[in-house]
Amino acid sequence: MFSELLKKIGYHGIEDAVEFLMCGIAIVPALLMLSGFMLGGAISMVVLLLLTMLVGMQAPPLPPRAEKKDERPDHFPRR
């Protein structure tokens, strides 16, 4: 249901929404705090962090990495 809502808003996937929220966390609170709105900056940071957590909970887990076989021998010869 949440991913359908994101697609209606215009995001192609949950990754796009997380990227957008992370950019917001980096820019919006800092600009608000620099302009003198300390409480507004703090509130916006908390809200954006909560939104990022909510969106991240809906993201599917990453596929497991393939194990690389190491071609090196276990015991190296001494020189």
Side-chain angles (χ1 to χ4, degrees):
M1 182 173 112
F2 192 70
S3 59
E4 293 173 9
L5 176 68
L6 288 175
K7 287 183 182 181
K8 287 181 183 178
I9 295 174
Y11 296 107
H12 296 290
I14 292 179
E15 294 86 17
D16 290 341
V18 170
E19 183 178 342
F20 176 74
L21 289 170
M22 293 301 290
C23 290
I25 290 172
I27 296 171
V28 174
L31 288 177
L32 283 171
M33 288 181 186
L34 284 174
S35 61
F37 300 105
M38 298 302 274
L39 186 61
I43 291 171
S44 67
M45 181 178 290
V46 169
V47 169
L48 286 170
L49 283 172
L50 288 174
L51 282 174
T52 304
M53 287 187 282
L54 289 173
V55 170
M57 286 178 14
Q58 301 294 323
L62 295 174
R65 295 189 318 180
E67 295 292 327
K68 292 183 181 178
K69 182 169 175 149
D70 197 7
E71 299 296 327
R72 297 181 299 175
D74 289 338
H75 302 288
F76 295 106
R78 290 190 171 211
R79 293 184 187 185

